[in-house]
Amino acid sequence: MRFGSRMNIAPVFNALLVCALAAVLWKYIKLQDHVFVLEEELVLTRQTQELSQVRIDYQAALQDLVQDGTKMVCAGKMHTDRICRFESLCYSTEAEEFIFFHSNSSVMLPNLGSRRFQPALLDLSSVEDHNTQYFNFVELPAASLKFMPKPVFVPDVALILNRFNPDNLMHVFHDDLLPIFYTMQQFPDLDQEARLFFMEGFGEGLHFELYKLLSGKQPLVREQLKTLGRLLCFTKSYVGLSKITTWYQYGFVQPQGPKANILVSGNEIRQFAKFVTEKLNVSSEGTPGEEYIVVFSRTINRIILNEAELILALAREFQMKTITVSIEDHTFSDIVSLISNASMLVSMHGAQLAMSLFLPRGATVVELFPYAINPEHYTPYKTLCTLPGMDLQYVAWTNTEKENTVTYPDRPWDQGGIAHLDKAEQDRILKSSEVPRHLCCRNPEWLFRIYQDTEVNIASLIQVVRQAVKTRPGPKRQAWTSGLYPGKVRGAKCQASVQGASEAKLSVSWQIPWNLKYLKVREVKYEVWIQEQGENTYVPYTVSHPNHTFSDNIKPFTNYLVWIRCIFNKNLLGPFADVLLCST
Ligand code: UDP
């Protein structure tokens, strides 16, 4: 902890420097000016001493950088799963490039050589292998620092990343907030004192307040770094984001859909939701126990044209208070507070539905789709709601009546306009009753259809929702109590008996998995696979007790391999125990 004294001076800075950005950094030249200001304002010698310490630290930091250069150690085999930890990673705000300074003490692991550019060292956002999101650095000898601008050191532990699309709530939650939250949990020094650096180049964006919840320090965006200096050096930093919580791929290389290998459960999503709820200081709205429906409305486009009628119908059908919220008219705290106690959330397809993750267990999500949109092809919110342990009921409704849709062919292309297309293509789109699967992000037919407004056929919607609510599973227990897997069976033994020239029996017994004695499990079964040695097929059996005598297909004077595993509640398959060799 060479720079331990930084901790102590931080409060002094915060109190005295008007500029919030300067409060985090200390800069050699600026500091000299400030020392006088500070000395005037603070007569306290202790603090003055601390400040003089800063200058010594600066010199020491600079000397360290020149001597030691940059150190990098990464986790992950590929650029798509790599996160790197750096000491003394620098950034030129003029060149807009990161710099790795080489010296005799620098470390670069992995040392990829030119493979570092094939295609990149790592993904800077959680969106996989997107060529606008790659991270790399340029290399220089540490000695070249002599000829470069005086570095400004960033004392905070930094998490350096790209946000993918900070103006879209789905992207905010799925690509940024959840991955940042869990990347921070992966590395203990990324705590509340850490600072986030957003390098994608956007301004703060519409939802900056949400990003601010993740650490105690104001995040900085790329543009702001310029005001801090020409050469920034991050004392300690992590670069990249964990993708472990993402559940959706947006269709850059194949049509959009759930990720092939989802690794997150509702449990982690809900813990993140709890963190956000607490940080927002959200109080639970309404009377406890009172059930209500939230309609999340869009006000700019993809509108429900008969929303008032819809609200009345929902209230009447379910005998519940029904309220509307929108991003335009409500604060985040209000929305989270309302959603977190709602029984049902009804909304047009759109990013606002990412906020389903704040719903309580057992709630129902009703997603409405405009005409010609097949809900099966666009499932970011369905996938979220149906993650194991999310315990949400999901139902989709589509407008199937052309007369109930309002199109906007003359709007700009990115709002679904098609006037720029040739006439034949326009006609084809207008006649089509379903948008074929397509890649992201500029398919004009998709944009045309997804930006329609809809007059919802109330009767058909209510019918769909009624059906869903009727089949809703009862209130579930915590996911982890019902989703635990058996351990290996233990101490397996076999005993053979030969009955005759062609008849034999194999008695196999074992002990229950070690964790079973601590669990209440509805149904415990065992699967036993018997394979004749040297054959590549096996015969599977399912038995209820930890011993069984097999006689079918068992031959005398033969070697058998026996594989045993335990199964809880039909679908929780445990691991196979070490193979057992049995000879008749
Ligand atoms: N948005 C909104 N009201 C509207 C239209 C959009 O709040 O009337 C929000 C929407 O929730 C999202 C962002 O604006 O966070 C961008 O919306 P867009 O239609 O581009 O994306 P989508 O919702 O289809 O993902």
Side-chain angles (χ1 to χ4, degrees), residues 167-171 206-207 296-303 326-328 349-353 381 446 450-451:
D167 285 343
N168 179 300
L169 263 189
M170 166 65 185
H171 287 285
L206 297 174
H207 306 302
F296 206 143
S297 72
R298 294 174 61 108
T299 59
I300 302 161
N301 52 42
R302 204 179 304 150
I303 287 167
S326 70
I327 295 175
E328 292 82 6
H349 170 80
Q352 66 287 342
L353 269 168
Y381 316 111
W446 151 251
I450 199 59
Y451 282 112

Side-chain angles (χ1 to χ4, degrees), residues 431-485:
K431 283 206 195 85
S432 162
S433 61
E434 183 177 313
V435 179
R437 280 196 194 264
H438 56 89
L439 294 181
C440 189
C441 312
R442 294 182 166 219
N443 182 292
E445 183 173 354
W446 151 251
L447 291 169
F448 175 68
R449 290 303 183 188
I450 199 59
Y451 282 112
Q452 296 169 113
D453 295 339
T454 305
E455 176 94 17
V456 174
N457 180 326
I458 303 288
S460 88
L461 174 68
I462 294 288
Q463 197 189 355
V464 167
V465 183
R466 196 187 284 156
Q467 197 58 37
V469 171
K470 213 191 293 171
T471 58
R472 180 169 58 190
K476 281 220 184 149
R477 279 182 297 156
Q478 295 273 353
W480 55 265
T481 57
S482 56
L484 298 188
Y485 289 82

Side-chain angles (χ1 to χ4, degrees), residues 473-502:
K476 281 220 184 149
R477 279 182 297 156
Q478 295 273 353
W480 55 265
T481 57
S482 56
L484 298 188
Y485 289 82
K488 285 182 189 172
V489 304
R490 298 163 358 123
K493 288 198 280 267
C494 51
Q495 216 175 8
S497 61
V498 175
Q499 258 80 37
S502 61

